[in-house]
Amino acid sequence: MIKILLADDHTLFREGLKQIIAKHPNLKVVNEAGTGFEVLDQIKNNEIDLVILDISMPNMSVFEIVTNIKITHPKLPILILSMHPEEQYAIRLFKAGVSGYLSKECAAENLINAITKITMGGKFISSSLAETLAFAVDKNSDKPLHQLLSNREFEVMQMIVEGKELKEIADLLCLSEKTITTYRSRVLEKFNLRNNVELTRFVLENKII
């Protein structure tokens, strides 16, 4: 029996996934989490074989959650579910230690295939992502500018482009406004830009997000 921790802050979405998983006798959702803190707490206090993790969780960023899991449970496989463009997030998350990356719009069969492959020690990626990863490791290919950013810088950039104020970003990431300002400055410097307007235009024109 594969024991699954299902982490998503939307109860209805969790219920839908549980119904899909319940059709397979060798799979069982034994714990659920609605925040990043709950994810780490559930892993600490329960025996888990697989974490299915939404990319956007309250309290903590997905990179912080994954990093913390890998520190305490380095062999615990993590499957990311996301609505974001996979090529921008998946590469970073695979480097952080996740075992699979799947769109929330995928068919139920793909979810089960991903769970099966990951729990057997493999990695799960879509065909389109496999091609992206191939280019990413090609030494002869040009490195996209956005890959110069750290995970935190990438998160801050994303939120700025979404129109969030610095204080709001600080609250969401549980950081000081001064720290967020520093990350913003680093992003602008790396892209040789002057302000948020130029940053937003740059990101949209280059389809970074």
Side-chain angles (χ1 to χ4, degrees):
M1 175 70 68
I2 296 172
K3 300 176 182 178
I4 299 172
L5 167 60
L6 185 56
D8 193 289
D9 60 333
H10 295 92
T11 304
L12 289 178
F13 186 76
R14 292 204 307 267
E15 290 300 320
L17 289 183
K18 284 165 62 179
Q19 291 180 20
I20 294 172
I21 293 170
K23 296 178 182 179
H24 300 267
N26 62 321
L27 305 177
K28 185 176 182 180
V29 175
V30 294
N31 299 94
E32 298 179 49
T35 69
F37 293 147
E38 289 178 1
V39 172
L40 301 183
D41 186 60
Q42 293 284 9
I43 291 173
K44 178 181 178 181
N45 296 302
N46 298 281
E47 184 179 341
I48 305 294
D49 299 316
L50 169 69
V51 178
I52 299 180
L53 177 63
D54 179 30
I55 199 169
S56 299
M57 295 289 287
N59 305 127
M60 301 178 70
S61 74
V62 66
F63 296 107
E64 287 177 309
I65 297 171
V66 171
T67 298
N68 276 280
I69 291 174
K70 289 302 172 179
I71 289 174
T72 59
H73 297 74
K75 294 184 179 180
L76 180 60
I78 303 170
L79 172 62
I80 299 292
L81 296 183
S82 173
M83 292 297 292
H84 294 295
E86 59 184 15
E87 65 272 14
Q88 308 302 346
Y89 288 83
I91 293 175
R92 292 174 177 274
L93 286 166
F94 272 107
K95 288 180 178 179
V98 307
S99 299
Y101 192 104
L102 197 61
S103 169
K104 283 190 171 183
E105 298 178 347
C106 75
E109 181 181 356
N110 287 342
L111 173 64
I112 301 304
N113 288 340
I115 292 173
T116 301
K117 188 170 184 179
I118 288 171
T119 53
M120 292 179 66
K123 303 284 187 181
F124 185 89
I125 55 176
S126 67
S127 56
S128 60
L129 178 56
E131 183 176 354
T132 301
L133 289 172
F135 280 112
V137 299
D138 184 355
K139 294 182 180 179
N140 296 321
S141 63
D142 294 329
K143 188 173 184 178
L145 282 174
H146 69 85
Q147 289 190 22
L148 297 174
L149 303 180
S150 69
N151 290 335
R152 182 65 85 190
E153 290 166 352
F154 187 81
E155 286 180 298
V156 171
M157 178 192 70
Q158 176 199 357
M159 293 183 183
I160 290 174
V161 173
E162 290 173 350
K164 292 181 172 62
E165 299 293 334
L166 295 183
K167 185 179 185 306
E168 182 181 3
I169 297 173
D171 291 340
L172 288 170
L173 297 180
C174 300
L175 298 171
S176 70
E177 191 170 344
K178 181 178 180 180
T179 299
I180 299 302
T181 300
T182 299
Y183 282 123
R184 171 186 174 277
S185 297
R186 289 178 185 172
V187 172
L188 294 177
E189 181 180 355
K190 288 182 178 181
F191 290 160
N192 194 27
L193 301 172
R194 295 174 295 180
N195 52 49
N196 290 359
V197 174
E198 290 188 358
L199 176 62
T200 301
R201 184 185 301 117
F202 176 84
V203 168
L204 294 177
E205 289 178 350
N206 290 277
K207 299 180 180 179
I208 292 177
I209 295 178

